[in-house]
Amino acid sequence: MTATSPGTGRPTIYDVAKRAGVSPSLVSLVLRSPARVSDKRREAVRVAMSDLGYRPSRAATTLASSRTKSIGLVIDDYRNLWFVDLLRSMQAALSSHGYHVTVADSQPGENRIHEAIDGLLAMHVDGLVIAAEPGGSMPSRSWVPMVVAGWRNGVPDGADLITGDDDGGGRAAVEHLLMLGHTRIGHLSGTGGAAEHRRKGFQGGILEAGLEVRIAGEAGGTSEEDGYAAACRILEQYPDTTAIFAANDTMAVGAFAALKARGLRVPDDISVIGYDNSPLAKSRYLDITSIDNRSDLVGSDVASRLLARLEDPALKARRTLIEPVLVVRSTTAPVAP
């Protein structure tokens, strides 16, 4: 029989303590600061909670500790696969310390990111992660630790910035294509901080090689449809292009459609390289050469920085750049003779 709270049928912290053979205060400590409890006793408490179907009251935890054990994450597009590894690695690092992540989607618009942040702050989150373009002005610093993930147009005072080195990634894409003999290279770009830095890296590498800069889509988005449209413009303006570097893997997929419509084969007639090393790039069917911006490392570093700032709010904000990695697959090959 399961011991339960009288009249509710719901197991309590006292039931968990009895089942685990520990004190109620230790159960409370496991819920608040699991890292401070030995592995053996922590596991005994978790097994007891699982056996009893116990679910802690977040409201009670908040009242007891002045923290909600939640982190707010603001993104701007659920379709962007870059968020997958970011969120997964954040959750993995934070969950071991008893935190969970609440996600808010900030749609385009001058005030939408402010609305998303205000909503999370109203939930009394302990920290904020901004992984969205502001669409206008970036909010000023908040009263909770704030980390900006990825290049964004404006970083609030007092906020940390953790991002991949997208300038370096853009150069790496150019260097890879140059090594394959390509000298007529087009770039599919878009708006936003990450796309801007990848474009700068591409342009710098092309100019250093003494080549013509070929870019399309700077004022557009970075979706598959945007990639298709930008690739069409590149091919119309520069029909002799032998390689395309897309600002992300989703745009690369759009480029495939534009190339197929013109009877061009990848990589026999034209090479394509993407960015992010997303699940699209890794799929056996598409097998896209891509620049891995290590969003998993960005996520784990974001979590580590938030935890450090929660322990010591006086820590100074800092900027961290994570080196990207080229992943070569089947969509790039030496230039056709």
Side-chain angles (χ1 to χ4, degrees), residues 112-160:
R112 293 304 296 271
I113 192 170
H114 295 266
E115 293 172 2
I117 290 174
D118 288 344
L120 290 170
L121 291 176
M123 298 169 63
H124 300 285
V125 294
D126 298 323
L128 281 171
V129 179
I130 308 300
E133 291 296 341
S137 61
M138 183 68 88
S140 60
R141 63 184 300 171
S142 68
W143 59 86
V144 299
M146 180 186 292
V147 177
V148 176
W151 291 112
R152 306 297 165 193
N153 291 322
V155 177
D157 292 339
D160 297 278

Side-chain angles (χ1 to χ4, degrees), residues 191-204:
T191 56
E196 179 180 345
H197 281 272
R198 294 169 190 182
R199 184 168 65 247
K200 286 180 179 178
F202 167 82
Q203 188 167 346

Side-chain angles (χ1 to χ4, degrees), residues 14-191:
Y14 300 98
D15 302 323
V16 173
K18 183 177 181 180
R19 174 65 69 93
V22 299
S23 66
S25 61
L26 189 132
V27 176
S28 180
L29 185 60
V30 169
L31 294 174
R32 296 196 316 271
S33 303
R36 297 172 57 187
V37 182
S38 69
D39 292 343
K40 181 178 180 180
R41 301 177 86 184
R42 184 171 63 239
E43 182 60 22
V45 170
R46 287 179 172 171
V47 169
M49 288 193 293
S50 177
D51 290 345
L52 295 172
Y54 174 78
R55 296 293 182 271
S57 166
R58 294 203 177 276
T61 301
T62 299
L63 289 172
S65 67
S66 77
R67 288 186 179 177
T68 60
K69 304 296 285 188
S70 62
I71 301 297
L73 170 64
V74 181
I75 65 175
D76 53 15
D77 188 354
Y78 278 111
R79 299 170 299 177
N80 189 335
L81 296 176
W82 180 81
F83 296 120
V84 175
D85 287 337
L86 176 78
L87 180 57
R88 181 186 296 119
S89 55
M90 274 184 58
Q91 286 180 322
L94 290 168
S95 62
S96 62
H97 293 269
Y99 285 87
H100 73 285
V101 180
T102 300
V103 181
D105 185 16
S106 170
Q107 296 296 326
E110 172 67 29
N111 295 315
R112 293 304 296 271
I113 192 170
H114 295 266
E115 293 172 2
I117 290 174
D118 288 344
L120 290 170
L121 291 176
M123 298 169 63
H124 300 285
V125 294
D126 298 323
L128 281 171
V129 179
I130 308 300
E133 291 296 341
S137 61
M138 183 68 88
S140 60
R141 63 184 300 171
S142 68
W143 59 86
V144 299
M146 180 186 292
V147 177
V148 176
W151 291 112
R152 306 297 165 193
N153 291 322
V155 177
D157 292 339
D160 297 278
L161 170 66
I162 300 177
T163 181
D165 180 7
D166 290 311
D167 296 74
R171 285 179 175 271
V174 172
E175 290 169 2
H176 173 63
L177 294 172
L178 291 175
M179 288 181 61
L180 294 174
H182 295 279
T183 56
R184 300 184 297 276
I185 306 169
H187 177 45
L188 315 182
S189 189
T191 56

Side-chain angles (χ1 to χ4, degrees), residues 5 10 32 35 61 68 72 108 154 178 185 205 217 229 234 240 288 292 314 327 333:
S5 178
R10 182 177 300 170
R32 296 196 316 271
T61 301
T68 60
L178 291 175
I185 306 169
I234 285 285
D240 62 341
I288 305 172
D292 188 342
V327 182

